[in-house]
Amino acid sequence: MKHLAAITAVYSEIATALDAQAAQARDAADAALIERVAQKRQINDSTYFILIWGQLEAEINRVAEWAVRARRSSIRWEDRRAWDAHDPENMWAKFEDRAALVLDRLNVDSDACRRTIRYDGWRNGIAHGATLATGIDVPTVIGDLYQIAGEIRA
Amino acid sequence: MLSVIEELSEDGTVLDAAHLRARIDDWRRRIDDLYREIAEWFPHLGVDWDGTTVMDEPVMRAYGVPPVRLPVLRLVEADTEVAAFAPGGLWIIGVNGRIDLSAGQNRFVILDKAGIFAPPRWTIAPGLDRLAVEPLSRASLARAIQ
């Protein structure tokens, strides 16, 4: 999660340049240009979203792998039997399952696990070219990802 | 309180043309209320309500909802534009709508941080420093457009 501040700064710079283009297109009442700038904004938002999402995803994978190693090393079989099903060298579990290893799926107050899975689904939608959103407010999402990261437990 | 990502993922709501029209009506109401409040905050400035911009977002096209026009607010002083507020999008992940503010060469984003169909919680941040978010008020807006 260490690159998020730098990512936000670069995102802000490019997004502001696109905001200026959008304002010019609006002032000129140029419908085709307005549409082109809207597409550029959407692509820019999606690109940065995928970049920041990758930071949280990597953190979840890292902590999940660590948790599996630590729990599998227990001498007591009662403690490690469920964890033995996971191979830390080869975490084949789908992302949703890895997220549930480090975020409490039943914590409805924070809803962190569900929010994480929703973001993952959104990333997959972008990757497959299917998104209905006009844009993504990247700084707001970064704030949310920090909150989720604060709830990850090994 | 649903967010836009839940709404567009149909997690707790059903997306259809009627829902989208209700959301557009709610967006227009929030914009009108905000513009009225801004005009009241700066009675010494002239107000130009005549401009509009087209709202034609991807989800509207996906469900066959035709484009609509939304108001642009301009504040003027001695025939010089001080600030222009234009709706920048409703279905934006993380917020419940964005209004773009141009004040001279400076850009700001005004964001509604509330959930959908909830009373708005407007915030403002400089375009180049989007983490410096503060609640939208007469004072924060005055600093932006001074």
Side-chain angles (χ1 to χ4, degrees):
Chain A
M1 304 286 286
K2 59 185 175 183
H3 301 302
L4 290 181
I7 291 170
T8 308
V10 180
Y11 168 80
S12 296
E13 201 175 312
I14 296 172
T16 299
L18 294 174
D19 290 349
Q21 288 183 25
Q24 283 170 2
R26 204 166 40 236
D27 289 346
D30 184 336
L33 185 57
I34 289 171
E35 178 59 23
R36 277 205 303 281
V37 176
Q39 285 175 0
K40 285 200 262 185
R41 280 171 138 178
Q42 193 184 39
I43 290 168
N44 188 53
D45 288 353
S46 296
T47 303
Y48 279 91
F49 171 75
I50 288 172
L51 196 57
I52 60 174
W53 167 251
Q55 301 265 310
L56 183 68
E57 186 182 29
E59 181 67 3
I60 286 171
N61 289 341
R62 185 186 69 77
V63 177
E65 199 180 304
W66 191 90
V68 169
R69 279 184 205 285
R71 300 298 203 289
R72 275 166 54 114
S73 66
S74 172
I75 294 168
R76 283 166 43 86
W77 179 71
E78 289 81 359
D79 291 341
R80 65 178 154 78
R81 60 180 175 177
W83 297 86
D84 272 342
H86 301 282
D87 177 2
E89 302 297 331
N90 212 345
M91 293 282 282
W92 287 108
K94 61 181 178 178
F95 177 75
E96 197 168 318
D97 294 337
R98 292 197 297 278
L101 285 179
V102 297
L103 290 165
D104 184 356
R105 207 198 298 251
L106 295 183
N107 185 346
V108 290
D109 289 339
S110 84
D111 210 22
C113 192
R114 220 160 64 97
R115 272 151 51 215
T116 300
I117 291 163
R118 204 179 290 123
Y119 281 132
D120 184 55
W122 199 260
R123 190 276 310 270
N124 292 337
I126 291 171
H128 293 113
T131 175
L132 289 174
T134 303
I136 300 168
D137 191 65
V138 169
T140 301
V141 173
I142 283 178
D144 198 25
L145 297 191
Y146 268 120
Q147 278 191 359
I148 292 171
E151 296 194 27
I152 294 174
R153 298 285 179 270
Chain B
M1 198 162 57
L2 285 180
S3 61
V4 167
I5 192 169
E6 291 171 294
E7 178 189 26
L8 295 182
S9 305
E10 295 196 78
D11 184 359
T13 188
V14 175
L15 277 183
D16 57 24
H19 172 83
L20 299 184
R21 286 195 193 95
R23 289 275 284 138
I24 293 167
D25 289 345
D26 175 67
W27 181 220
R28 187 190 297 276
R29 261 193 303 275
R30 281 183 286 140
I31 292 168
D32 287 343
D33 290 348
L34 179 65
Y35 286 179
R36 257 194 303 275
E37 192 165 19
I38 289 171
E40 287 169 12
W41 284 343
F42 303 101
H44 61 289
L45 296 176
V47 176
D48 174 359
W49 303 89
D50 294 339
T52 60
T53 188
V54 174
M55 178 189 192
D56 183 19
E57 302 193 24
V59 69
M60 295 165 66
R61 293 196 285 267
Y63 286 87
V65 175
V68 298
R69 299 202 79 89
L70 293 174
V72 171
L73 172 68
R74 293 179 201 282
L75 298 180
V76 294
E77 187 168 36
D79 291 337
T80 302
E81 182 182 292
V82 175
F85 303 79
L90 171 58
W91 282 283
I92 295 175
I93 303 296
V95 298
N96 188 26
R98 182 187 71 218
I99 291 176
D100 298 328
L101 165 60
S102 305
Q105 295 301 309
N106 299 318
R107 311 274 163 202
F108 296 84
V109 285
I110 295 174
L111 304 169
D112 184 356
K113 298 279 187 128
I116 70 172
F117 292 124
R121 283 195 301 121
W122 294 109
T123 64
I124 184 168
L128 287 173
D129 189 8
R130 294 181 189 224
L131 291 178
V133 184
E134 58 181 325
L136 183 69
S137 63
R138 189 198 180 283
S140 60
L141 187 54
R143 280 193 297 277
I145 66 178
Q146 69 186 359

